């Protein structure tokens, strides 16, 4: 069969012929998303990565089982990835698709949507009426986070990002207020939120923490800060005064902070609601993986490979 194969962490995967995967249940892969987690696994930079080249990247996908059923599945840790014509499926990490589900849409949306869905349901337990700030709301996962926060009962969702064109689209998706990360309005706009979904980290997070703490009227009120992504940098400088001056509860949401069983348990509920959210997907033949990997990417669009 053919697959995307990483031979070196400093080069993009190449479309190559490899041996068939071995396992009790093997599916024909219909679609697999090129998520940031897939990229970081393929270049050796992900914190949970322990693979060594050669390897097949890919963490999830939509596949057709030998009996004809279509499933969304999450690849097992340490096994071959999903950017291939066929992949091993663990039934405990899979959920059957309804008949009208589009494989490309499901492959594009489940991973980025899961980031905020699990954070709000399992890490902080969002209560109806609470207020949410999404830092990095103009990216694919951040935009879905705006919709999911409102869907799960947030009374207000403040969307913060750098791209003014994409920010302008977010009120139609549920944002009650949009704020540019390049100005000084974030503090007043989001000072009284209960939850921050942080898709940026780095300098934007440093500035946002200081701004929210400075403008917060009731500083003893809990502020759950959930770190999810770090495209703006892997580190922050956190002054001790920020922690003393407010009831800041800093946590992460991702592989390790939640067990695989907890994440998988949320798959059916999210899949049932997936059609209510907006997804921008672009299907690309897997044979074009090497060129696509290095081509300029649209942050509001998720590339999906179709073997």
């Amino acid at each position: 069969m053919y697959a995307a194969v990483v031979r070196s962490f400093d080069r993009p995967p190449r479309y190559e012929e490899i041996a068939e995967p071995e396992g009790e249940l093997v599916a024909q892969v219909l679609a697999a998303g090129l998520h940031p987690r897939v990229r970081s696994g393929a270049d050796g930079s992900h914190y949970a990565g322990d693979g060594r080249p050669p390897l097949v990247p890919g963490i999830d996908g939509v596949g057709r089982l030998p009996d004809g059923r279509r499933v969304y599945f999450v690849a097992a840790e340490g096994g071959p990835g999903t950017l291939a014509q066929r992949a091993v499926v663990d039934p405990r990490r899979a959920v059957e698709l309804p008949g009208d589900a589009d494989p490309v849409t499901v492959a594009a949306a489940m991973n980025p949507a899961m980031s905020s869905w699990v954070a709000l349901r399992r890490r902080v337990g969002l209560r109806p009426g609470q207020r949410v700030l999404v830092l990095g709301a103009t990216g694919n996962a951040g935009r879905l986070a705006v919709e999911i926060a409102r869907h799960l009962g947030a009374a207000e969702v403040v969307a913060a990002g750098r791209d003014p064109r994409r920010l302008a689209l977010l009120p139609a998706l549920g944002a009650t207020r949009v704020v540019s990360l390049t100005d000084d309005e974030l503090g007043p706009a989001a000072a009284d939120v209960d939850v921050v979904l942080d898709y940026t980290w780095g300098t934007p997070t440093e500035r946002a923490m200081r701004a929210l703490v400075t403008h917060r009227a009731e500083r003893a009120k809990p502020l759950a800060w959930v770190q999810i992504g770090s495209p703006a940098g892997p580190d922050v400088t956190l002054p001790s005064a920020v922690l003393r001056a407010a009831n800041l509860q800093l946590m992460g949401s991702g592989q390790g902070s939640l067990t695989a069983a907890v994440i998988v348990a949320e798959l059916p509920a999210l899949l049932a609601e997936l059609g209510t959210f907006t997804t921008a997907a672009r299907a690309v033949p897997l044979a074009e993986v090497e060129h696509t990997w290095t081509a300029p990417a649209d942050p509001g669009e998720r590339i999906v490979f179709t073997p």
Side-chain angles (χ1 to χ4, degrees):
M1 73 168 186
Y2 282 88
V5 181
V6 174
R7 296 286 178 186
S8 172
F9 284 146
D10 60 0
R11 294 197 302 269
R14 299 185 66 181
Y15 188 66
E16 298 181 8
E17 189 170 10
I18 63 171
E20 293 282 342
E22 296 182 358
E24 294 185 9
L25 186 60
V26 176
Q28 175 192 358
V29 178
L30 303 176
L34 179 53
H35 314 302
R37 170 65 179 88
V38 176
R39 289 185 181 275
S40 62
D43 66 17
S45 65
H46 194 268
Y47 69 89
D50 57 3
R52 296 290 183 270
L55 61 85
V56 176
I59 59 171
D60 66 349
V62 173
R64 180 178 286 113
L65 301 180
D67 62 8
R69 290 180 298 141
R70 300 181 308 161
V71 296
Y72 169 79
F73 66 101
V74 178
E77 289 91 348
T82 57
L83 298 191
Q85 291 179 320
R86 284 171 287 282
V88 175
V89 174
D90 182 341
R92 297 168 299 180
R93 302 164 70 96
V95 57
E96 187 172 352
L97 300 188
D100 60 349
D102 174 48
V104 170
T105 300
V106 173
M110 283 293 282
N111 175 267
M114 185 64 71
S115 66
S116 55
W117 181 274
V118 169
L120 292 173
R121 282 168 59 98
R122 294 287 187 154
R123 291 298 280 152
V124 299
L126 181 73
R127 299 188 303 275
Q130 289 189 303
R131 302 176 178 91
V132 176
L133 165 65
V134 180
L135 279 181
T138 52
N140 189 281
R143 184 184 63 201
L144 280 166
V146 170
E147 294 187 81
I148 288 170
R150 287 305 300 270
H151 180 81
L152 294 179
E156 297 180 16
V157 178
V158 181
R162 293 185 181 278
D163 188 328
R165 181 176 62 87
R166 295 189 184 283
L167 278 175
L169 301 175
L170 295 178
L173 300 180
T176 54
R177 187 163 184 175
V178 297
V179 186
S180 173
L181 285 174
T182 61
D183 60 32
D184 296 323
E185 294 301 314
L186 181 59
D192 294 322
V193 299
D194 304 287
V195 177
V196 177
L197 298 179
D198 185 349
Y199 287 92
T200 66
W201 209 235
T203 300
T205 292
E206 292 177 4
R207 294 184 62 213
M209 279 186 179
R210 293 188 182 97
L212 264 63
V213 168
T214 298
H215 290 87
R216 203 160 176 80
E218 189 179 344
R219 294 191 178 185
K221 181 181 178 182
L223 173 60
W225 198 291
V226 190
Q227 207 292 308
I228 301 174
S230 54
D235 305 303
V236 296
T237 298
L238 181 59
S240 59
V242 170
L243 293 178
R244 295 196 304 270
N247 188 359
L248 180 63
Q249 302 169 355
L250 185 61
M251 67 190 79
S253 183
Q255 189 176 351
S257 59
L258 293 162
T259 66
V262 168
I263 295 173
V264 170
E266 290 293 331
L267 295 180
L270 175 56
L271 182 61
E273 302 295 336
L274 201 63
T276 65
F277 308 132
T278 305
T279 302
R282 178 163 65 93
V284 176
L286 183 59
E288 299 177 13
V289 61
E290 186 174 6
H291 166 74
T292 303
W293 202 271
T294 57
D298 182 336
E301 178 182 71
R302 186 54 53 96
I303 293 171
V304 176
F305 287 114
T306 53

